Every structure is written in C-alpha cells, then in structure tokens.
Amino acid sequence: MFASPGNPGIGAQAELVSLDPADHAQVLDFCEQQRIGLVVVGPEAPLVDGLADSLRGAGVPVFGPSRAAAQLEGSKAFTKELCARHQIPTAGFKRATDSTQAYHALDSFGIPVVIKADGLAAGKGVTVAMTRAEAEQAIDEIFSGRFGAAGAEAVIEEFMEGEEASFFALTDGHTVVPFGSAQDHKRVGDGDVGPNTGGMGAYSPAPVLTPLLEGEALERIVVPTVRAMAEEGMPYSGVLYAGLMLTREGVKLIEYNARFGDPECQVLMLRLEDDLGELMLAVAENRLATRPVPRLSPQTALTVVLAAKGYPDTPAKGGAIAGLDRAEALGAKVFHAGTALAQGTLVASGGRVLNVTAIGENVTAAQAKAYAAVDAIDFADGFCRRDIGWREVLRERGGHEDHDR
C-alpha cells in the first residue's frame, strides 16, 4: 500500500510517496510502475479536477467520482439545480454571478439567510446571516475574490430550521447501500461558538437520524440523486456524503460531499466490521450488488480533534507531540492528520493535528474514553473542544438540549 502525501500515522501501514495529484501523468506513471490495483482519491480538489477520469481512462480501478459527478460537491448551484429538476427536497435558492444579482436575490428570502460561495472553499465560504447587513457583507466577501475561483458565483439559500446530521452511502452508479450516519461539531469553541472549522469532532451513529428518517433520506434524497446523475450521463461512483437538515417538513438536503469527510470518516472506520478495501474495490469494479450490505457496529464511536493553537486562522506549526502510545493503551485509536517527523520527533504540521477516537456502548461512554485518551497526550501547542457529543450526552441523561456554556 502507498499513500501520498501521507503522514507518520499512515506511514506505519503504507509506504509514503510524493505525488502531485494535479499532475495526472505522474500519478498514472506511478500506477503503471507499481501495478496498482486500486486508487482511492481522498480529497475533493483532485476529484473535481478529474483525476478519477484519468485513472479510469488508463484502466486503473478507482474509488471516487468523475469530474462531472464530483460537481455535486464542486458546485453548490449545480446540486441545487439538480435537486430542482428531480424534486429532491432541499432549501429554496437563487444563484448569482455578481453582487448586484445577489443583493436582489436577498429580497426573495427572509432573515436569517444562508450565503454560500459556489465552489470549493476548503470548508469556508458559508455564512448564516442573521441581519441584512451581515448578508451583504458575506456577498461582498465572496465577490471580492477572498475565496478565489470558488467565489465566481454565489448561492443564496433559504434558512432551514432543525438539527443537522450526516448520512453516508456507497454507490457504483447503480446500486446504493447505506454506510452509516454521524454528527459533527463545526464551531471551534465549546458551546458551538466561534468561527466554523473543518470539524472539531464527531460521533456515529447519529441517534437523531432514526431508522425511519434514514430510510427517508435514502429513498427521497440519495437514491433519486444517484438515479438522476445516471440519467443525465454523469454516473456517480464512490461514497456520497449527504449533509441533512431534519426539518418539521421532513428530511432535506443541505449539500453533498464527494468523499468520506473528516472527522466523520474516523468514527465510521471504528464502527466498520467489514473489509473496507473489498468494499471500495467492488464500487470501483461496478459490482457492489454482489456484496452484502456493509456491517457497522451498533456501538457509538466518538472522535475529538486536537488542533494547533491559532486554528482555524493561523495555526502554530512545529509543536512537539508525545504520549500517543499511552492514549492507545487506554483503548483509543489516534488518527494522524497534520503531523510530520522532525529529526525523529512527532510535530504538528497543520491546523487539525490528531483525531483521538474511541468506541463505547453509547455517546457518554465513548466520550469518556476519548477524553481520557486526549488527556494522556502531551501536546503543549494543542487544544480541543471539551464537549464533543454534548447533545446526545444530555439526551442520554434525560436532560434538555440547550447548551448553557
């Protein structure tokens, strides 16, 4: 197994190689030299750039959607318009190609309203505006070039009330099978305060997404999307990650990711009681229907992100990390994200550095194990939220959901 660029965590299982995912010829040459039997494209940017198309064109099995299918993540307007054409429930929207159009679009919605940069903005570029002034400021930021090409267009959306949950499915473009649910915590601070991040922690399954609601999401949102993509000549192959809002009118789509996501992937992996490689190869070879539905543990997995101080704005790099063996001796699994080796010492090399992940009978038990492992790690330049899973912990105690911190 090879990983590019990889990190010291996956380096224990895979040989690390330096490949530029934007250089398709280089990736194809490597696959030919090493006789690669399956490529898993993890990040969204290479998918939107069409790396999977180049690999498939060379006969290399690949887990991940084509450039056309990856538009489900790469363009919010594309997805909203697909939903409109195929009656897939989602928030009302208008698209805008300049600030004047966007200001006019605001008149169609009440306040609060959601403003989004259309393209890939690395988890940024989304504002829930609580006043007209905030909405106009968000529009100005998008069209000022702050988000680069991602801000060439904006999508103005109706604000949806409800609780968010994430639902995952594997598909080879024909067969669709469920792959679990999760909830994450986007805000940087305890009590869901501060700026949005790529995710400060997550747990799986999401009890709020009951079997009934999961079935509704599959039948009304995910399966119709896969069918629509095939009908329109863009069959979707890979994992489809649906961000959902549980509204009074039913389950509605917020947006799609064309990948497993982080930190959701970590909790799904701890619950998986199946061979991930076999599942991904079955997707890549269009034979998902020949496999049983993936098995996931009924237990709860919870992950806490250890981030570098200053994240998400200017995270400190180079801070030494120790104690991972102690953490894993307590029953946790520590996934590496932004780590590197500097003269034999493990150090931070990114904003989100580690995912400390544990499994238990419920959220309360998994949370306790995860934080015990967090506390065993020595990372002076790190910080984390101390309340991952708080909604479910309160529910398990029979309390209400208001977070009073």
Side-chain angles (χ1 to χ4, degrees), residues 103 106 115 127 129 131-144 146-147:
Y103 292 153
L106 288 177
I115 315 295
T127 300
T131 66
R132 173 84 184 205
E134 278 183 25
E136 291 183 356
Q137 181 182 351
I139 288 167
D140 291 343
E141 283 188 351
I142 288 171
F143 290 109
S144 72
R146 179 181 173 190
F147 304 109

Side-chain angles (χ1 to χ4, degrees), residues 14-38:
E15 183 179 332
L16 305 187
V17 294
S18 179
L19 296 172
D20 177 3
D23 185 344
H24 296 194
Q26 183 191 42
V27 176
L28 291 172
D29 285 347
F30 179 84
C31 289
E32 184 179 358
Q33 290 164 16
Q34 299 294 336
R35 292 184 288 183
I36 297 298
L38 175 68

Side-chain angles (χ1 to χ4, degrees), residues 125-383:
V126 177
T127 300
V128 179
M130 305 308 290
T131 66
R132 173 84 184 205
E134 278 183 25
E136 291 183 356
Q137 181 182 351
I139 288 167
D140 291 343
E141 283 188 351
I142 288 171
F143 290 109
S144 72
R146 179 181 173 190
F147 304 109
E153 291 193 27
V155 175
I156 319 301
E157 286 188 18
E158 164 198 11
F159 175 79
M160 294 189 289
E161 284 194 46
E163 193 163 340
E164 289 188 41
S166 302
F167 177 69
F168 300 80
L170 298 182
T171 179
D172 56 11
H174 311 284
T175 302
V176 181
V177 297
F179 198 79
S181 64
Q183 280 189 302
D184 76 338
H185 299 256
K186 288 286 188 211
R187 302 248 179 209
V188 75
D190 284 13
D192 296 322
V193 299
N196 270 329
T197 71
M200 294 299 293
Y203 54 92
S204 173
V208 69
L209 197 64
T210 63
L212 188 67
L213 291 176
E214 194 169 294
E216 183 182 334
L218 194 62
E219 291 167 24
R220 298 191 62 212
I221 296 174
V222 177
V223 169
T225 298
V226 172
R227 189 184 303 125
M229 294 294 284
E231 287 173 2
E232 297 194 11
M234 301 171 282
Y236 187 99
S237 177
V239 61
L240 193 54
Y241 165 165
L244 305 172
M245 187 69 78
L246 311 182
T247 76
R248 288 175 183 162
E249 298 84 44
V251 181
K252 294 186 180 183
L253 177 70
I254 302 170
E255 60 189 27
Y256 279 123
N257 287 341
R259 56 203 160 85
F260 278 112
D262 173 30
E264 294 85 357
C265 184
Q266 288 87 335
V267 288
L268 290 170
M269 291 306 106
L270 235 60
R271 291 183 58 222
L272 182 63
E273 296 179 336
D274 211 324
D275 188 316
L276 180 66
E278 288 288 344
L279 283 166
M280 293 193 292
L281 189 60
V283 168
E285 295 180 342
N286 298 311
R287 52 180 179 82
L288 188 57
T290 67
R291 278 197 53 92
V293 172
R295 301 186 309 276
L296 293 167
S297 167
Q299 290 193 304
T300 294
L302 183 143
T303 189
V304 177
V305 170
L306 269 177
K309 286 176 182 174
Y311 178 75
D313 297 321
T314 51
K317 293 188 178 181
I321 304 163
L324 302 195
D325 289 345
R326 291 195 301 270
E328 295 203 329
L330 294 171
K333 171 66 180 173
V334 181
F335 292 93
H336 293 234
T339 65
L341 284 174
Q343 298 175 333
T345 299
L346 188 68
V347 299
S349 64
R352 292 183 296 166
V353 179
L354 299 169
N355 283 78
V356 185
T357 315
I359 196 162
E361 290 299 320
N362 55 25
V363 176
T364 303
Q367 184 196 60
K369 280 179 71 174
Y371 278 112
V374 165
D375 292 338
I377 294 171
D378 180 9
F379 178 26
D381 281 351
F383 77 97

